[in-house]
Amino acid sequence: MKTLLIFSMLNSFFQPDTNTITPITKEYLNYSIIKDDKTIGNIRVERSSKDDVTQYLFESRAKVKILYSIEIYDKMDVTFKQNILRQAKLYRTMNGKLKVNNAAIWNGNSYNLSDKDGDNGFLKQSIFCSTASLYFNEPGNIKSVFSEKFQKMIPIQKIDSRKYRISLPNGNTTTYTYSSGICTLVEASTDFANLKFVLNK
């Protein structure tokens, strides 16, 4: 009887308390990629949160025809812990050929940077916002964001109520418009076209 009682007590002690398990919350945003009033692709952005960790998964596909057809596939995987960037990865192909394979990994003191050719230096400062997180978070008073593509901090400027602009190192610009803290429109000038990313409501 004593043995049964002790086993019962130990069993209840080691049972997980389901009330303390934090569920993962997931949210999704879907955008249509527009060129010359025609839909040429789509974007899906997912934000998942658990405790103090937030992950953004960005995936887009687009097909642009200029002199010839260009199919572009992008995938970003970005993780923040305690609101500080821990890792940011960007993978891009054009017509199936690898164009970008960037990573920024926090090592406790700085970010180790790498691209498709290997190591690409480091960045020694804490990052609180990246281009992936801009879809779910209006930048407000934030002065610069991390570019997963260019692997550097880029100034962001508020140009109007709920509208912000990033001037990229290659001369292109990207403008973000918000409603209730969520990005509803992105206007991007790229090397091959002027595009709009319109939130599907």
Side-chain angles (χ1 to χ4, degrees):
M1 192 69 175
K2 284 184 178 180
T3 303
L4 183 60
L5 180 61
I6 292 171
F7 177 78
S8 178
M9 291 172 64
L10 287 173
N11 189 47
S12 62
F13 179 77
F14 286 109
Q15 285 296 315
D17 183 357
T18 55
N19 293 326
T20 63
I21 298 175
T22 305
I24 298 175
T25 60
K26 291 189 177 183
E27 302 166 271
Y28 303 90
L29 298 174
N30 292 290
Y31 297 82
S32 295
I33 303 175
I34 310 294
K35 177 183 178 292
D36 299 329
D37 298 323
K38 294 181 181 179
T39 300
I40 63 166
N42 58 79
I43 298 171
R44 181 179 176 87
V45 189
E46 173 190 313
R47 177 172 68 179
S48 61
S49 302
K50 183 177 181 181
D51 298 325
D52 59 354
V53 176
T54 302
Q55 181 181 26
Y56 298 91
L57 296 175
F58 175 105
E59 192 169 20
S60 72
R61 298 178 187 272
K63 188 172 184 178
V64 183
K65 190 170 184 179
I66 308 173
L67 298 177
Y68 58 93
S69 291
I70 303 174
E71 290 191 43
I72 303 166
Y73 172 76
D74 269 22
K75 186 174 183 178
M76 279 194 285
D77 184 347
V78 178
T79 302
F80 288 82
K81 184 174 183 180
Q82 297 177 334
N83 297 319
I84 297 176
L85 182 72
R86 298 296 171 163
Q87 72 166 28
K89 296 179 180 180
L90 170 61
Y91 174 85
R92 175 177 296 167
T93 62
M94 293 180 68
N95 291 341
K97 295 182 179 180
L98 180 64
K99 291 296 182 180
V100 178
N101 192 12
N102 290 348
I105 310 295
W106 177 249
N107 63 21
N109 296 303
S110 62
Y111 294 94
N112 295 326
L113 306 177
S114 62
D115 57 23
K116 64 184 179 69
D117 297 319
D119 292 341
N120 192 32
F122 65 93
L123 183 63
K124 195 167 185 177
Q125 69 179 96
S126 296
I127 297 172
F128 303 99
C129 183
S130 78
T131 60
S133 62
L134 284 176
Y135 289 84
F136 276 98
N137 303 287
E138 184 174 345
N141 294 323
I142 290 175
K143 300 300 182 184
S144 61
V145 300
F146 178 72
S147 168
E148 291 86 352
K149 179 183 177 182
F150 293 100
Q151 297 191 300
K152 62 173 62 178
M153 300 302 295
I154 297 178
I156 184 166
Q157 178 187 9
K158 186 171 184 177
I159 59 173
D160 202 349
S161 176
R162 307 300 182 189
K163 185 175 285 191
Y164 304 79
R165 177 174 294 153
I166 295 175
S167 297
L168 300 172
N170 61 1
N172 295 336
T173 60
T174 306
T175 303
Y176 300 81
T177 302
Y178 292 82
S179 177
S180 302
I182 297 296
C183 182
T184 57
L185 173 66
V186 179
E187 298 165 278
S189 69
T190 71
D191 295 333
F192 50 86
N194 291 323
L195 305 175
K196 292 182 179 180
F197 310 156
V198 181
L199 180 65
N200 299 327
K201 298 182 179 179

